[in-house]
Amino acid sequence: PYTTLFRSPLSVDIGSGSGLNHIIYVLNNSFHSNSSSVVRVVDRGNPLGTLVMRNNHFIFNGQFLNIPAGTVLDFKNTNNIFHTEAESTQFGATKANLFKFTSPTAPMVNAGLDLPAFFTTDRLGVPRPQGSKWDIGAYEYGGSGGSV
């Protein structure tokens, strides 16, 4: 999944039976959870080859990952930002606006890796980047895309 907003109690379940040659990308998403694991790898007997997680914004008060030992052979977890729900409100990211940050000083702004080989817009269709670099999470700051 990419440029998606996931809200509790929903989680992303990835089956480990996908196979050694498979690569699963989880890129530029915003995740919100109050209790359950946000990203969970379900053991289906065969380990997953590679799981790549980049540029995701995790807003959680519980566990954000549940990856049992041996279910993923190569786990690349880089350039993600983690906040509690209370911390996220400092940057204008609230339940009311589906956690779209509204502050130009939010740590997600211009902090992402550029990933144009995968997509070039945010959740609302705003072109990436709007600043010097891509933003972390499902939303690009400063864009005037569709409604949240």
Side-chain angles (χ1 to χ4, degrees):
Y2 63 92
T3 65
T4 303
L5 172 69
F6 294 94
R7 293 187 63 193
S8 180
L10 177 71
S11 64
V12 176
D13 286 348
I14 300 167
S16 67
S18 300
L20 301 176
N21 296 324
H22 286 88
I23 301 173
I24 295 180
Y25 295 93
V26 181
L27 309 170
N28 272 96
N29 297 287
S30 294
F31 293 92
H32 171 255
S33 177
N34 281 323
S35 58
S36 63
S37 299
V38 179
V39 176
R40 177 176 61 180
V41 176
V42 179
D43 190 351
R44 296 210 171 108
N46 278 335
L48 172 67
T50 304
L51 173 59
V52 179
M53 296 181 62
R54 294 197 170 118
N55 287 1
N56 296 292
H57 183 203
F58 292 94
I59 304 155
F60 65 101
N61 293 323
Q63 179 179 3
F64 88 94
L65 284 178
N66 181 357
I67 302 177
T71 58
V72 177
L73 296 179
D74 186 14
F75 180 43
K76 298 176 185 199
N77 182 24
T78 60
N79 220 60
N80 300 296
I81 290 183
F82 308 89
H83 289 118
T84 64
E85 195 171 308
E87 290 168 336
S88 71
T89 62
Q90 298 172 41
F91 314 111
T94 65
K95 283 183 185 178
N97 68 5
L98 299 178
F99 300 99
K100 182 180 189 306
F101 51 90
T102 58
S103 170
T105 61
M108 295 76 74
V109 175
N110 296 324
L113 300 170
D114 293 345
L115 302 170
F118 295 96
F119 51 91
T120 57
T121 60
D122 77 353
R123 179 176 183 267
L124 302 176
V126 174
R128 290 182 183 266
Q130 290 291 304
S132 61
K133 293 178 71 180
W134 282 35
D135 295 347
I136 290 176
Y139 303 105
E140 187 73 13
Y141 177 77
S144 58
S147 62
V148 174

